[in-house]
Amino acid sequence: MREAIRLSEESANSGGGPFGAVIAKGGKIIASASNSVTLNNDPTAHAEVNCIRKACKELGTFDLSGCDIYTSCEPCPMCLGAIYWAHLDRIFYANNRKDAADIHFDDDFIYQELDKSLDDRKTPMIPLLREEGLGAFRIWKNKEDKTEY
C-alpha cells in the first residue's frame, strides 16, 4: 500500500492525477502504475486500469486470479468494473470516494448515477438497433472455439 501511496504522490507532483496502484501475487509486486489521464489525454488511464494492463502483459493473461490490488483510493466505478473483469482476489485501498469528492473527482457522482434508473441519469441512454446488434451475440453464442472470459 505504501508503494501505491508513493506513486500517487509522485503522480500528483508530476502532473498526473493523485492516484497510484500496485498489483501483487504471492507477496511480490507484479505491476505498478499511476494515473495518466491528463498526461496521455486518456480518460480511461486511471492508475488501476494502467496497472491491470501492465500486470496482464507481465503475466501473459487476462485473468489475474491469485493477485491482489493495492490502490491509493477506493476505485471508481470504471476501475471497479475492470478489477472484477480481471478477477483480482482482493482490493486494498487508502482514501475513499468521499475523500476523492472533496478534491473534486467524480467518483461518488458516478456511483450515485449507477443507483438511478436509466431514465433519471444525467447522460441519456437510448436503445438503438437491438435486433441488428444481437447478430454478434448469436455468433458468439454458437461459436465453439471461443475463449471464455
Side-chain angles (χ1 to χ4, degrees), residues 4 23 27 31-33 38-39 43 51-52 68 72-73 80 100 116-117 125 135 144 147-148:
I23 292 176
S32 61
T38 56
L39 298 174
C51 197
I52 287 168
D68 296 322
S72 64
C73 187
L80 185 61
K116 295 178 181 178
S117 70
M125 293 183 66
E144 293 185 18
T147 301
E148 297 277 355

Side-chain angles (χ1 to χ4, degrees), residues 3 63 87 121 139 141:
E3 178 62 7
D63 185 339
H87 303 285
R121 291 184 181 168
I139 292 167
K141 181 179 178 181

Side-chain angles (χ1 to χ4, degrees), residues 51-110:
C51 197
I52 287 168
R53 289 174 178 155
K54 287 182 175 182
C56 288
K57 186 173 183 180
E58 175 67 25
L59 296 176
T61 182
F62 56 81
D63 185 339
L64 297 177
S65 296
C67 297
D68 296 322
I69 188 163
Y70 297 81
T71 180
S72 64
C73 187
E74 179 182 358
C76 74
M78 176 186 71
C79 292
L80 185 61
I83 288 165
Y84 275 101
W85 280 118
H87 303 285
L88 288 154
D89 289 358
R90 294 182 294 181
I91 305 165
F92 298 93
Y93 65 93
N95 300 313
N96 63 43
R97 64 187 187 205
K98 301 292 185 191
D99 299 325
D102 287 345
I103 59 168
H104 308 291
F105 282 90
D106 287 343
D107 307 39
D108 195 52
F109 164 75
I110 298 168

